[in-house]
Amino acid sequence: MAIVKRIFTSESVTEGHPDKVADQISDAVLDAILVQDPNGRVACETFIITGQVHIAGEITTKCYVDIPRIVRQTLRDIGYTRAKYGFDADTCGISVSIDEQSPDIAMGVDRSLEVKEGEISAKSALDALGAGDQGMMFGFACRETKELMPLPIVLAHRLTRTLAAARKNKVIDYLRPDGKAQVTVEYDGFKPVRVDSIVVSAQHADGYPVDVIRDNITSHVIDTAIDSHLRDSHTNIYVNPTGRFVLGGPLSDAGLTGRKIIADTYGGMARHGGGAFSGKDPTKVDRSAAYAARYVAKNVVASGLADRCEIQVAYAIGVAKPISVFVECFGTNRVDESTIVDLIDAHFDLRPGAIIQKLDLLRPIYRQVASYGHFGRPDLDLPWEKTDLALALREEAGIKLDEEKFPLPVFN
């Protein structure tokens, strides 16, 4: 029987991609509110199209922020400063349609069902919080990379960040803000063995031959971002495969908050509950519980209890305690999955208020993760990326691991 390759692909987009522009604007508004009012309730959606930015949503806050100013500054930071780039921060039209959070939702968030029924007594407003919505959130970690992330999404993000850096540092001075990358990795079981394919599409100024663009991006982006030992003579490389990418950004494609949730998380390697992150304050479990689930899964994998771990947490609106916690280790666990669930219950408080306190989420930390991924970010000091409970989990589980025989993977 012929052996069939097992390959997996993940995608990333640059900060100038229209959907990512929308995410960054939404999170920039959130951050501006949290600076003045950490208890503000924010659900900010952004829609961007040729020459226009539309902001809508529900915001309840005691402070005032100049949303049009925030929008224009975010666009400048990204690089949309001239119409020929696809958008001009100084001349675009901006509309704002904001209402307050629904009181029907607020009454469940402010005081959880457990508090109302006397099951628990809240010592603080955070203790009293109920979940801001129903839904299920997933967290994932694996030992494929030092970030404990899947290799395809790590490499895809590395490509887009390198592409953006080449533009900003004028290493390739004809690049424009929009762009995307895709990486396909071949696996032997759960072990990545080689990069099978690389795709990079980069917006550029008119008048540059495609051969020049391909040579420049290969040498200054691909060769910089992906080590040669990960590739071989059979690795397929595609740069601007249509041959032209002059029209880009909001000029050629509408952008919307929350439309790149797979690039935001694990590149499709893990399941996703469907809820987006950007523009949402941490009382929304779409965001805070997904961060907490990553924190749990990463500590489980770092502890050695399993080499791959996916966590699902589910909530009911207005109820603080999760209605379910599910663990899947894909056969890589060293103790029973039921034991891992018990350890999670003992060491991690997954009520919304407890998550906010543990991860210190009432801070303006969100725009920085609105592009290039919310997880596996060694360039940022993110609280949900810490592995501070890994040793406690290992000791309580009673597993003994030789550190020399159980190192973090070198394939990264």
Side-chain angles (χ1 to χ4, degrees):
M1 181 183 295
I3 298 175
V4 178
K5 292 192 299 184
R6 184 173 181 265
I7 58 177
F8 192 88
T9 302
S10 293
E11 180 198 42
S12 174
V13 300
T14 67
E15 63 215 65
H17 185 281
D19 293 330
K20 275 291 137 204
V21 174
D23 285 341
Q24 290 168 90
I25 290 172
S26 293
D27 273 338
V29 172
L30 170 62
D31 279 356
I33 290 172
L34 292 178
V35 167
Q36 301 181 60
D37 182 9
N39 295 312
R41 300 283 170 79
V42 180
C44 180
E45 307 287 346
T46 300
F47 171 66
I48 185 167
I49 190 62
T50 306
Q52 303 174 60
V53 181
H54 303 278
I55 310 294
E58 297 79 40
I59 297 177
T60 301
T61 181
K62 299 175 181 178
C63 71
Y64 169 78
V65 296
D66 187 342
I67 290 179
R69 183 190 63 80
I70 293 168
V71 170
R72 295 190 195 282
Q73 187 57 53
T74 303
L75 289 166
R76 289 188 200 103
D77 292 344
I78 293 169
Y80 283 119
T81 56
R82 301 182 67 181
K84 70 177 184 178
Y85 297 168
F87 213 79
D88 186 346
D90 294 317
T91 62
C92 66
I94 299 173
S95 69
V96 179
S97 180
I98 297 292
D99 205 344
E100 292 186 333
Q101 183 180 58
S102 164
D104 293 349
I105 296 175
M107 66 184 293
V109 179
D110 294 338
R111 294 182 71 239
S112 69
L113 182 68
E114 294 94 326
V115 172
K116 292 174 183 175
E117 295 186 347
E119 295 180 21
I120 60 173
S121 60
K123 298 179 181 178
S124 69
L126 283 178
D127 286 334
L129 285 181
D133 200 354
Q134 70 178 43
M136 61 283 189
M137 297 80 212
F138 288 89
F140 182 76
C142 61
R143 299 184 70 86
E144 290 181 28
T145 65
K146 62 184 178 183
E147 297 92 348
L148 300 186
M149 287 283 288
L151 183 65
I153 191 63
V154 168
L155 295 181
H157 284 322
R158 197 177 294 172
L159 281 170
T160 51
R161 292 186 67 187
T162 305
L163 182 64
R167 169 178 62 89
K168 293 179 175 180
N169 297 329
K170 300 189 183 303
V171 174
I172 308 177
D173 60 6
Y174 53 79
L175 290 180
R176 300 294 185 251
D178 199 356
K180 56 177 62 176
Q182 190 171 281
V183 176
T184 301
V185 174
E186 182 180 345
Y187 283 81
D188 179 5
F190 288 132
K191 181 182 178 181
V193 294
R194 58 181 290 273
V195 171
D196 184 78
S197 299
I198 299 166
V199 182
V200 177
S201 294
Q203 185 191 8
H204 58 87
D206 201 0
Y208 288 84
V210 67
D211 290 343
V212 171
I213 294 170
R214 287 170 177 166
D215 287 345
N216 288 166
I217 290 178
T218 299
S219 59
H220 294 295
V221 177
I222 295 174
D223 290 348
T224 299
I226 300 184
D227 292 342
S228 59
H229 76 273
L230 304 182
R231 297 178 274 155
D232 57 31
S233 60
H234 298 291
T235 298
N236 299 304
I237 296 178
Y238 305 92
V239 175
N240 283 17
T242 69
R244 178 181 169 87
F245 188 1
V246 173
L247 297 179
L251 178 63
S252 63
D253 191 12
L256 187 66
T257 300
R259 208 158 56 178
K260 284 290 177 285
I261 57 177
I262 297 303
D264 283 340
T265 52
Y266 309 101
M269 185 70 78
R271 285 171 281 196
H272 197 295
F277 301 155
S278 290
K280 297 177 181 177
D281 76 81
T283 67
K284 280 73 169 174
V285 285
D286 277 344
R287 178 165 227 159
S288 55
Y291 290 172
R294 162 65 176 171
Y295 176 57
V296 173
K298 189 172 183 182
N299 274 272
V300 168
V301 170
S303 72
L305 297 182
D307 290 343
R308 299 174 78 83
C309 182
E310 184 180 76
I311 308 288
Q312 185 203 59
V313 186
Y315 293 87
I317 188 169
V319 180
K321 190 174 181 180
I323 61 174
S324 70
V325 176
F326 172 80
V327 173
E328 170 66 70
C329 295
F330 310 95
T332 69
N333 44 302
R334 294 175 176 82
V335 298
D336 289 342
E337 287 172 344
S338 60
T339 299
I340 296 176
V341 173
D342 290 340
L343 288 168
I344 291 170
D345 185 58
H347 289 272
F348 300 91
D349 189 339
L350 295 175
R351 294 174 301 151
I355 292 170
I356 290 170
Q357 292 181 77
K358 174 65 177 178
L359 300 182
D360 195 13
L361 296 181
L362 297 178
R363 299 179 291 142
I365 58 174
Y366 298 107
R367 187 190 157 189
Q368 63 182 343
V369 292
S371 52
Y372 309 116
H374 294 244
F375 308 126
R377 295 293 300 273
D379 57 310
L380 303 174
D381 183 21
L382 301 175
W384 52 87
E385 290 296 309
K386 297 184 184 302
T387 54
D388 52 326
L389 293 178
L391 181 59
L393 293 174
R394 178 182 296 187
E395 290 178 344
E396 190 163 333
I399 62 173
K400 303 294 183 181
L401 294 171
D402 185 333
E403 292 299 330
E404 292 187 0
K405 296 180 179 179
F406 192 68
L408 286 173
V410 296
F411 194 94
N412 53 53

